[in-house]
Amino acid sequence: MKDIPRIIGEYDSDKKGPLLFITAGVHGNEPSGVVALKEVFEILNAEKPDIMGKVIGVSGNQEALSKAVRYIDEDLNRTWTKENIASENKNSHEKKEMFEIIDVLEKYPEKDFTKRYFLDCHTTSSASEPYISVQDVNDNDAWAHKFPTYIIRGFSDIVLGCIDHYESRIGITGFVFEGGQHESKISEKNHEGMIWLALQHACELNLDSLINYPEAAKMLAKKRKNRKTFEIEYRHGIKDEDEFEMEPGYSNFQPIEKGELLAYQNDKAIYSEWDAYIFMPLYQSQGNDGFFVVDEAH
Ligand SMILES: [Zn+2]
């Protein structure tokens, strides 16, 4: 994806209200959020519907997006720690881009808006139902529950240095949205749908006022009747020297039963101790999370 500007789009109707700050492509191999933002801003700019406040679409790792790689020096979704930000050290490509994104956000301070929301768009390496990953701080969880997709609570809390942590830390309400598999066309549509729904809930955009009611938003809204909220029950950690092989065919949120063979680790079989759901089964060679077990929150 070439020549992605930092600001993909910006739109308001000159009315006081909230800020909706949308980031996409924080991982350079995940362009679907960027495609979706372009699509949405094209419609907003052509039809000029009324919204309260302002929406801004921001690209994440520009250099990595242009090279279609996940990152250049380090993962831009692990750099947002308190220490890194306080140090102001730009000793990697990603830290430079991180501070550029912070500069953009600082142009839209809290005092100029009734509230500030964020949406961070991602995709996954394997096929998955779209889902929200929400850090359970501030009013993030209640906000996430306005949306129709699966919600996973608390996963974001255990991975450090993510952009959503930074945004939550400075008092912005929001979540990460995983639209589906990296290259899938459906992921683009899911992101588009999520952006429209965020505009509806945050900026009071009346979707019926658009010339064509966005099909992507309709598609996503249909998921509401099957929505589930999950919590992490167990993380199966693996060490670099371990040989780990997941049984083939598992996808995110697939139900598992007690006694089911899940994986082999150093030739030892690993059986499920749970009647629950599998989450992020590891099928790539690197990583220290073999799989997670998640269950419906009560
Ligand atoms: Zn990502």
Side-chain angles (χ1 to χ4, degrees):
M1 223 181 203
K2 296 286 170 209
D3 304 319
I4 308 297
R6 177 64 70 204
I7 312 281
I8 298 165
E10 200 178 343
Y11 179 81
D12 64 60
S13 320
D14 216 8
K15 286 184 174 155
K16 177 99 179 153
L19 175 73
L20 176 58
F21 188 83
I22 306 175
T23 45
V26 165
H27 290 132
N29 61 336
E30 302 179 9
S32 9
V34 177
V35 176
L37 276 170
K38 283 184 174 170
E39 183 76 28
V40 169
F41 278 106
E42 202 165 295
I43 295 171
L44 290 175
N45 290 321
E47 299 188 21
K48 306 218 176 341
D50 256 6
I51 67 164
M52 306 302 284
K54 181 192 269 293
V55 56
I56 173 164
V58 173
S59 61
N61 199 331
Q62 286 181 302
E63 182 70 14
L65 276 165
S66 78
K67 295 187 166 143
V69 293
R70 193 161 180 81
Y71 55 79
I72 309 296
D73 298 324
E74 61 176 329
D75 189 333
L76 178 57
N77 212 22
R78 297 291 182 275
T79 56
W80 301 73
T81 59
K82 273 185 193 160
E83 298 71 31
N84 280 349
I85 289 165
S87 80
E88 290 179 31
N89 197 334
K90 297 177 188 172
N91 60 358
S92 73
H93 174 79
E94 275 67 26
K95 285 181 191 140
K96 269 182 248 155
E97 294 225 21
M98 173 178 79
F99 285 110
E100 285 175 23
I101 297 166
I102 292 174
D103 283 345
V104 174
L105 186 53
E106 285 178 348
K107 292 198 180 92
Y108 306 93
E110 200 173 0
K111 66 173 174 52
D112 292 352
F113 298 93
T114 52
K115 190 171 171 68
R116 293 192 297 172
Y117 295 98
F118 72 85
L119 167 62
D120 184 32
C121 301
H122 286 258
T123 48
T124 46
S125 56
S126 55
S128 175
E129 265 292 294
Y131 65 95
I132 285 172
S133 178
V134 62
Q135 201 194 0
D136 199 0
V137 295
N138 306 337
D139 55 347
N140 287 350
D141 193 68
W143 170 245
H145 279 84
K146 289 189 184 288
F147 296 85
T149 62
Y150 281 176
I151 296 169
I152 184 141
R153 191 189 273 160
F155 176 70
S156 233
D157 303 68
I158 60 176
V159 191
L160 299 177
C162 304
I163 183 171
D164 67 305
H165 285 213
Y166 169 75
E167 291 166 313
S168 292
R169 205 155 65 223
I170 62 170
I172 311 182
T173 297
F175 52 75
V176 172
F177 179 58
E178 299 278 358
Q181 201 271 335
H182 294 329
E183 287 89 24
S184 151
K185 280 278 158 204
I186 297 166
S187 306
E188 286 175 19
K189 285 290 149 203
N190 287 337
H191 278 124
E192 219 183 295
M194 184 50 88
I195 295 164
W196 285 121
L197 294 178
L199 275 160
Q200 179 184 53
H201 292 303
C203 303
E204 296 176 44
L205 168 66
N206 178 0
L207 295 176
D208 283 311
S209 74
L210 298 168
I211 294 171
N212 295 305
Y213 192 101
E215 206 49 50
K218 213 181 274 177
M219 234 173 63
L220 212 56
K222 282 191 190 140
K223 297 189 180 289
R224 185 174 293 273
K225 59 179 189 302
N226 297 317
R227 187 181 68 188
K228 290 185 173 77
T229 304
F230 296 98
E231 280 172 349
I232 308 270
E233 194 104 317
Y234 171 78
R235 166 184 177 265
H236 189 85
I238 48 180
K239 298 195 190 79
D240 289 340
E241 64 270 23
D242 282 340
E243 266 193 40
F244 180 82
E245 202 177 332
M246 195 76 207
E247 280 291 284
Y250 281 109
S251 61
N252 256 351
F253 305 110
Q254 188 172 320
I256 52 170
E257 290 177 352
K258 270 184 194 155
E260 187 171 328
L261 176 64
L262 298 177
Y264 282 96
Q265 187 162 348
N266 304 327
D267 293 327
K268 188 173 160 274
I270 295 163
Y271 296 99
S272 169
E273 296 163 33
W274 310 267
D275 290 318
Y277 302 83
I278 203 109
F279 182 63
M280 290 184 62
L282 182 71
Y283 286 114
Q284 20 191 41
S285 50
Q286 329 117 295
N288 293 109
D289 302 318
F291 58 85
F292 291 85
V293 175
V294 299
D295 207 355
E296 281 191 71
H298 300 291

